[in-house]
Amino acid sequence: MSDPMKVEVKDIDKLLEMDGYLKPFEREIRRRHGVLKDWIAKIDQCEGGLEEFSQGYKYYGLHFQPDNSVIAREWAPGARDVYLTGDFNNWHWESHPYKKLPFGKWELHLPANPDGSAPIKHLSEIKVIVRNQHGQLLDRLSPWAKYVVQPPKSANQGVNYKQYVWQPPEEERYQRQNARPPKPKSLRIYECHVGIASQEPRVGSYDEFADRIVPRIKRQGYNCIQVMAIMEHAYYASFGYQVTSFYAASSRYGNPEQLKRMIDVAHAQGLYVLLDVVHSHASKNVQDGLNQFDGTNSCFFHDGARGEHALWDSRLFNYTEHEVLRFLLSNLRWWHDEYNFDGYRFDGVTSMLYHSRGIGEGFSGDYNEYFGLNVDTDALNYLGLANYMLHKLDPEVITIAEDVSGMPTLCRPVSEGGIGFDYRLGMAIPDKWIELLKEQTDDQWDIGNIVHTLTNRRWMENTVAYAESHDQALVGDKTIAFWLMDKEMYTHMSTISEPSIIIDRGLALHKMIRLITHALGGEAYLNFMGNEFGHPEWLDFPRVGNNDSYHYARRQWNLVDDNLLKYKYLNEFDRAMNELEERYGWLHSGPAYVSWKHQSDKTIHFERAGLVFVFNFHPTKSFSDYRVGTNWAGTYQAVLSSDDPLFGGHNRIDMNCKHQSDPWGHAGRSNFIQVYTPCRTAVVYARISD
């Protein structure tokens, strides 16, 4: 029987037609995909195909059998002996040894109790005990643990996480109520974190997020949530980027069944749900992490310097190891199959591919940077395998690469010779906005450079545009709202306070920056939770440096809900912007055509999805009868104005005014309309008749 996941890499002529600069690297592109095919052939021969290989969670870990016996399996190639201990055997470390199998595998059979019950109960605590080659006994958590919990401080049991068996009775398991919604044509992503979603200074829960936050996201017009910090991480302040248990949903927010409910509730609201997955590195924790699981410095990771990420103080996976690939690919299957996630944002792709480069080190765009010894081809091969498997498993899955390098072919299908991601993050865009806000006044902004940054992306490789993400919200940095308004936000955000020039400017530019990023910057759009309404304070997790305070590890929803505060204006504009995109679909309609970028006037005009966008970034100059080119003849009317009073504007745009096109042409377009464009205002026009 043929494997439905058998890889077929077609000729790469299409890639070369799309980008002729790839021609000198054709041999390496083919070689890379030859390696991918070799791995598939090896998996076909040894494992019965990728379909079987990627379900390692059904083999490893703890498994309850129909007769209530239990089978436990681990991969620990460097161990001399392996044991299972816990509540079930009164913590006798060596009373239940595993049997050694070939290829570093270990297996233990526990028969059912005489009364027919399982020998290990739901919520029993267990540990894997490893005897290393020096004879030392080491206690570990299983890499396949599904539920791990940190002891409460009051228990005085330290801070290391403990593994508890998750095997609830059938009546306590969440039963999915809703089918997954259709895959969005235009992806509007709400990046979020369950723990900080609470308004109170504490850790939020899955249930609270489902009941309180999901409705907010739906109202704002987003159709996808990207959930951070779900894979268990011992250090809360790592933002989920130092994973300790890859198969365990973080117990800080609740139990696995509650996470399943949260995803189901999101699906009921028509939201796709993406998981922030960290396969680029792992926590160095030993007793509650993967590090030194089998008593050696290798196992899941490279030994020596190649296995250490000095800047992140973490371990780097050995992507050439058969069982490591099984572990990581199965991990992706696990979150999809068990929890019904619809896709993944792969964190740290740039770091995976270019270990020799420092964080923040730029790329010149020279194609030699993307080929040869500059790239970790083992990591590249893993990403190709992961994307191929996921898209074969589920054609509706979405994968996004956190990549700043601009690597060619990263977002082209594996069948064309690409790496297979659906989107990459437009990471240069938020950097540009912060640079402008930090270093220049807006009358100094280079209009051409703004347009270049927003449009400089690879042809036919989709980009997620965003003005800011969680990175800018973290303590030590500033959000766009804070760069614009700073301390004035604490004194002049009331609708009944005296007017403030700083707040007025901040509200105006906040809306303009978001709209031009949304409409011009990519094929998808992302916003981080709270930034849509200009959340006034940074994000800082409890840590020693702030006396373990949760004051900044939360979102102040009360501010946007207060009708007397101006945060509501930014929130309403964000909603209107998303609703307009839903109506016209510019994100999936192809790139915009920029017809006008005028440096001294500080104006930008472009067309996309049948709409005409007019931006005037000038701080003081407004223009009457300003010509705006368009290729579509007809009558136009404003459908969105950042100057609308609903959004805190000054009502300088007559939304009922009709603008008849003139056939004489302007700015390289066959027609033009004449409009009033006030300073610091963005207006979107739609053709209402021919």
Side-chain angles (χ1 to χ4, degrees):
M1 183 176 179
S2 63
D3 179 8
M5 292 214 179
K6 186 175 182 180
V7 67
E8 295 179 6
V9 180
K10 301 173 185 175
D11 197 272
I12 67 168
D13 287 346
K14 184 174 181 179
L15 279 178
L16 301 181
E17 288 174 10
M18 288 169 49
D19 186 353
Y21 290 105
L22 289 173
K23 185 64 178 176
F25 307 99
E26 177 179 354
R27 179 179 296 179
E28 181 164 355
I29 294 172
R30 293 189 185 279
R31 182 184 62 80
R32 287 177 176 178
H33 284 274
V35 173
L36 179 65
K37 288 193 287 185
D38 288 345
W39 262 109
I40 296 295
K42 185 188 300 185
I43 292 170
D44 282 346
Q45 181 179 356
C46 301
E47 299 289 345
L50 195 54
E51 167 73 19
E52 184 70 22
F53 183 70
S54 62
Q55 297 184 73
Y57 56 85
K58 292 183 178 179
Y59 179 81
Y60 288 110
L62 211 64
H63 296 281
F64 289 76
Q65 305 304 301
D67 65 353
N68 276 337
S69 64
V70 174
I71 299 176
R73 298 188 187 94
E74 298 293 346
W75 177 66
R80 185 192 294 181
D81 297 296
V82 179
Y83 308 90
L84 187 68
T85 189
D87 295 338
F88 75 97
N89 68 358
N90 294 314
W91 295 101
H92 293 151
W93 278 28
E94 300 175 71
S95 65
H96 287 77
Y98 286 68
K99 177 184 176 182
K100 189 172 184 178
L101 303 177
F103 308 111
K105 300 176 183 180
W106 299 82
E107 183 176 88
L108 169 65
H109 288 253
L110 295 174
N113 292 327
D115 64 0
S117 63
I120 302 179
K121 310 300 182 187
H122 173 54
L123 292 180
S124 291
E125 184 185 350
I126 60 171
K127 281 188 177 181
V128 176
I129 305 300
V130 172
R131 189 190 305 277
N132 68 13
Q133 294 300 322
H134 302 290
Q136 297 169 301
L137 290 176
L138 310 169
D139 60 306
R140 297 287 189 261
L141 301 189
S142 170
W144 306 84
K146 301 174 184 177
Y147 187 58
V148 297
V149 179
Q150 190 175 46
K153 290 183 179 180
S154 58
N156 198 27
Q157 296 179 358
V159 297
N160 289 333
Y161 273 67
K162 298 175 180 291
Q163 178 180 351
Y164 292 92
V165 174
W166 191 258
Q167 189 70 16
E170 196 66 35
E171 64 271 15
E172 294 180 17
R173 299 181 185 183
Y174 184 78
Q175 301 299 317
R176 195 174 297 156
Q177 306 293 316
N178 303 284
R180 171 203 282 175
K183 181 178 179 179
K185 293 181 179 179
S186 292
L187 201 59
R188 301 184 298 274
I189 306 169
Y190 197 82
E191 185 184 38
C192 50
H193 185 291
V194 172
I196 68 165
S198 171
Q199 184 171 304
E200 295 78 26
R202 57 175 174 78
V203 177
S205 72
Y206 295 125
D207 285 340
E208 289 172 337
F209 192 91
D211 297 335
R212 301 179 187 177
I213 310 304
V214 167
R216 288 182 181 272
I217 298 170
K218 175 66 174 178
R219 182 191 178 277
Q220 286 303 110
Y222 293 92
N223 54 24
C224 177
I225 60 175
Q226 178 181 299
V227 194
M228 306 180 68
I230 293 296
M231 301 167 79
E232 190 60 272
H233 48 294
Y235 184 41
Y236 192 36
S238 75
F239 223 142
Y241 292 143
Q242 294 276 347
V243 177
T244 45
S245 292
F246 284 76
Y247 284 79
S250 182
S251 59
R252 286 184 180 87
Y253 324 128
N255 64 48
E257 308 310 314
Q258 290 168 319
L259 174 58
K260 293 173 187 176
R261 174 182 176 268
M262 187 191 90
I263 295 170
D264 197 32
V265 169
H267 284 163
Q269 293 290 334
L271 301 174
Y272 244 50
V273 186
L274 308 183
L275 175 69
D276 212 17
V277 65
V278 186
H279 283 180
S280 49
H281 64 126
S283 168
K284 271 191 172 180
N285 286 20
V286 173
Q287 285 193 305
D288 55 5
L290 284 183
N291 194 16
Q292 299 180 7
F293 171 70
D294 67 348
T296 74
N297 200 45
S298 51
C299 197
F300 289 95
F301 309 106
H302 287 288
D303 196 6
R306 193 180 178 190
E308 306 275 344
H309 198 301
L311 290 171
W312 289 350
D313 193 31
S314 57
R315 297 301 311 272
L316 297 176
F317 287 104
N318 180 359
Y319 301 108
T320 65
E321 169 58 58
H322 194 88
E323 291 299 330
V324 173
L325 288 181
R326 188 200 307 274
F327 180 81
L328 295 175
L329 292 174
S330 297
N331 191 230
L332 298 172
R333 284 288 300 266
W334 167 255
W335 293 104
H336 178 280
D337 295 355
E338 180 72 9
Y339 288 97
N340 211 24
F341 278 98
D342 305 307
Y344 304 94
R345 196 287 292 262
F346 282 71
D347 173 71
V349 167
T350 305
S351 181
M352 290 176 70
L353 300 179
Y354 313 94
H355 294 312
S356 62
R357 306 181 78 99
I359 294 175
E361 186 175 341
F363 288 78
S364 68
D366 184 337
Y367 274 37
N368 288 291
E369 294 178 316
Y370 307 123
F371 298 96
L373 298 178
N374 294 311
V375 179
D376 185 331
T377 52
D378 297 331
L380 194 70
N381 175 65
Y382 165 66
L383 293 173
L385 273 173
N387 275 297
Y388 190 84
M389 177 204 74
L390 287 170
H391 289 92
K392 280 289 187 181
L393 166 72
D394 182 358
E396 300 296 291
V397 79
I398 292 174
T399 60
I400 301 172
E402 186 200 37
D403 171 62
V404 73
S405 74
M407 171 178 273
T409 79
L410 191 68
C411 297
R412 295 304 302 170
V414 172
S415 60
E416 291 179 6
I419 310 304
F421 284 101
D422 298 297
Y423 299 87
R424 60 155 45 93
L425 292 182
M427 300 179 73
I429 299 174
D431 290 346
K432 174 57 64 177
W433 289 125
I434 297 302
E435 174 194 323
L436 292 175
L437 294 171
K438 184 177 182 179
E439 300 178 3
Q440 298 179 353
T441 57
D442 40 314
D443 61 321
Q444 298 174 318
W445 289 2
D446 186 329
I447 293 298
N449 185 250
I450 291 174
V451 171
H452 173 75
T453 302
L454 289 167
T455 57
N456 183 29
R457 55 188 184 272
R458 294 194 59 77
W459 174 250
M460 297 295 287
E461 295 196 31
N462 294 333
T463 293
V464 178
Y466 59 106
E468 56 184 342
S469 69
H470 66 275
D471 290 326
Q472 288 72 40
L474 284 168
V475 64
D477 207 334
K478 287 185 179 181
T479 62
I480 286 177
F482 234 133
W483 278 114
L484 287 167
M485 296 177 279
D486 205 68
K487 63 181 184 297
E488 293 279 320
M489 298 179 76
Y490 295 106
T491 57
H492 288 80
M493 283 298 277
S494 171
T495 57
I496 59 176
S497 65
E498 61 185 49
S500 165
I501 295 175
I502 292 175
I503 295 297
D504 190 66
R505 170 183 179 268
L507 295 179
L509 289 179
H510 197 275
K511 291 177 287 185
M512 295 183 72
I513 287 170
R514 272 166 160 63
L515 179 58
I516 199 169
T517 300
H518 201 313
L520 191 58
E523 290 69 43
Y525 177 73
L526 178 143
N527 166 73
F528 177 64
M529 178 172 61
N531 286 356
E532 70 275 10
F533 65 84
H535 198 280
E537 292 179 333
W538 53 88
L539 173 61
D540 190 12
F541 289 91
R543 53 189 173 85
V544 174
N546 63 15
N547 295 318
D548 290 324
S549 171
Y550 284 88
H551 179 76
Y552 295 110
R554 61 192 180 108
R555 297 284 89 177
Q556 299 182 56
W557 304 109
N558 59 300
L559 297 177
V560 71
D561 293 341
D562 190 334
N563 201 43
L564 290 179
L565 296 179
K566 296 178 181 179
Y567 298 102
K568 65 179 182 180
Y569 296 143
L570 300 179
N571 199 62
E572 286 303 310
F573 184 76
D574 179 78
R575 181 185 61 81
M577 185 171 62
N578 283 329
E579 287 182 351
L580 191 66
E581 198 289 324
E582 173 67 19
R583 182 177 168 190
Y584 288 94
W586 62 68
L587 289 172
H588 69 268
S589 70
Y593 181 89
V594 181
S595 62
W596 191 258
K597 43 188 177 181
H598 198 286
Q599 179 61 22
S600 61
D601 288 352
K602 294 287 186 281
T603 53
I604 300 170
H605 306 161
F606 58 89
E607 299 154 84
R608 193 174 186 186
L611 299 171
V612 177
F613 295 80
V614 179
F615 288 81
N616 180 0
F617 281 97
H618 204 287
T620 58
K621 287 185 180 180
S622 300
F623 303 99
S624 299
D625 297 326
Y626 206 72
R627 291 190 175 187
V628 179
T630 173
N631 258 13
W632 311 304
T635 302
Y636 288 78
Q637 186 173 347
V639 289
L640 180 66
S641 167
S642 66
D643 204 46
D644 193 307
L646 180 64
F647 314 133
H650 300 287
N651 203 25
R652 291 169 291 176
I653 296 295
D654 182 356
M655 301 294 287
N656 295 314
C657 183
K658 307 296 192 295
H659 304 269
Q660 182 63 45
S661 66
D662 191 302
W664 292 103
H666 175 69
R669 313 307 279 162
S670 55
N671 300 274
F672 70 82
I673 56 175
Q674 289 182 289
V675 302
Y676 175 51
T677 175
C679 59
R680 287 188 182 137
T681 297
V683 184
V684 185
Y685 294 91
R687 189 173 59 163
I688 59 173
S689 64
D690 295 334

